[in-house]
Amino acid sequence: MDAYNAIKQDITSFIRTWIKTGIIVNPQVGGDFFSNKDVISSKYSFFRDEEDYISNFAESYENGRYLCALSDGSFFQINYLFEHHSKRKQYISKASLSYLPCVTDGAYANDYIRMDYDAESQNYFHPAAHLHVGFKGNFRLAADELLCFSEFFKFIMYLYYPDIYLKLEKKEDIKHTPMEEEGKYTKNIPISKELKEFVYFTASQIR
């Protein structure tokens, strides 16, 4: 697995495709963005809590601390670290993908979401791949896989920007149809088909 080139290709292809539509704006991938084979990273910010986020959001945006932005002022940050085993075998060792909702008049409409991955952190209380929602650092939703940036972007569109999600899917309508298989306590598994593409809680994990 050549993880470095796979992530690089995902980002460049995504930006090349969606910058033309106006869905994303101001991509910060010029110059030497892909010059370091150990890292693919936008400029990024650390926020202590919700108050710190609201106070410093505008500065982060104005200083281009993101991979790309949306027309509503929200933006995305990424950070991938790689380990090299051979010329053709490279893996992601750590990663962080963040969606930062725009702050307007001291408030934001959507939740901050971050997906983290750490190959060395694999235990019950800090799973290797997990989601943070909001600024409660002790809440982690385990994921069975790390998303590439285009997948993470699609996940955020599904949650908060349905009109854009429909354009990504190139469908006129997406119906929330339960899957055909039976659930443990219900006639159908209570999860819509399209959501199954993303991260979801599996009850069997805690039985």
Side-chain angles (χ1 to χ4, degrees):
M1 163 60 72
D2 185 350
Y4 178 88
N5 281 309
I7 294 299
K8 177 181 177 181
Q9 176 61 30
D10 175 71
I11 292 171
T12 54
S13 177
F14 172 85
I15 290 177
R16 183 171 59 249
T17 299
W18 294 104
I19 189 68
K20 299 175 183 177
T21 68
I23 290 174
I24 62 169
V25 297
N26 303 327
Q28 305 292 307
V29 293
D32 59 353
F33 187 82
F34 293 109
S35 63
N36 188 340
K37 294 293 184 180
D38 295 324
V39 179
I40 294 179
S41 180
S42 65
K43 295 179 181 177
Y44 53 90
S45 308
F46 295 98
F47 300 104
R48 295 187 305 274
D49 50 34
E50 183 176 7
E51 182 178 351
D52 183 39
Y53 179 75
I54 291 172
S55 299
N56 294 291
F57 174 87
E59 180 185 0
S60 291
Y61 185 90
E62 290 167 2
N63 287 310
R65 295 183 192 145
Y66 53 81
L67 175 69
C68 64
L70 300 175
S71 59
D72 68 355
S74 301
F75 58 85
F76 294 82
Q77 296 178 342
I78 64 166
N79 185 44
Y80 290 97
L81 302 181
F82 300 88
E83 56 183 27
H84 304 271
H85 293 262
S86 67
K87 186 175 181 180
R88 295 186 179 181
K89 187 176 289 187
Q90 305 170 45
Y91 298 101
I92 296 171
S93 58
K94 291 185 179 181
S96 184
L97 311 173
S98 301
Y99 163 70
L100 297 96
C102 182
V103 173
T104 305
D105 297 327
Y108 48 90
N110 305 320
D111 283 318
Y112 163 84
I113 293 182
R114 188 177 83 245
M115 183 172 212
D116 289 340
Y117 174 77
D118 186 344
E120 297 183 358
S121 179
Q122 180 63 283
N123 59 65
Y124 289 109
F125 306 106
H126 198 283
H130 58 271
L131 281 174
H132 291 274
V133 181
F135 294 95
K136 300 291 184 181
N138 59 343
F139 174 80
R140 298 184 185 92
L141 179 63
D144 64 357
E145 186 60 89
L146 172 66
L147 301 179
C148 64
F149 176 71
S150 63
E151 293 168 332
F152 180 74
F153 182 87
K154 185 178 176 182
F155 175 54
I156 298 301
M157 297 304 104
Y158 179 85
L159 293 177
Y160 299 134
Y161 303 88
D163 291 343
I164 295 177
Y165 180 78
L166 292 173
K167 290 180 181 179
L168 288 168
E169 286 294 282
K170 297 181 180 179
K171 296 179 181 179
E172 295 181 358
D173 182 38
I174 293 180
K175 297 180 180 179
H176 296 258
T177 306
M179 297 180 67
E180 296 178 357
E181 296 87 349
E182 292 183 0
K184 183 174 178 61
Y185 302 109
T186 57
K187 182 178 179 181
N188 298 305
I189 293 176
I191 181 170
S192 55
K193 291 180 180 178
E194 65 274 16
L195 186 58
K196 195 175 186 299
E197 298 179 27
F198 306 119
V199 178
Y200 62 96
F201 179 76
T202 304
S204 61
Q205 294 174 340
I206 62 171
R207 290 174 190 156

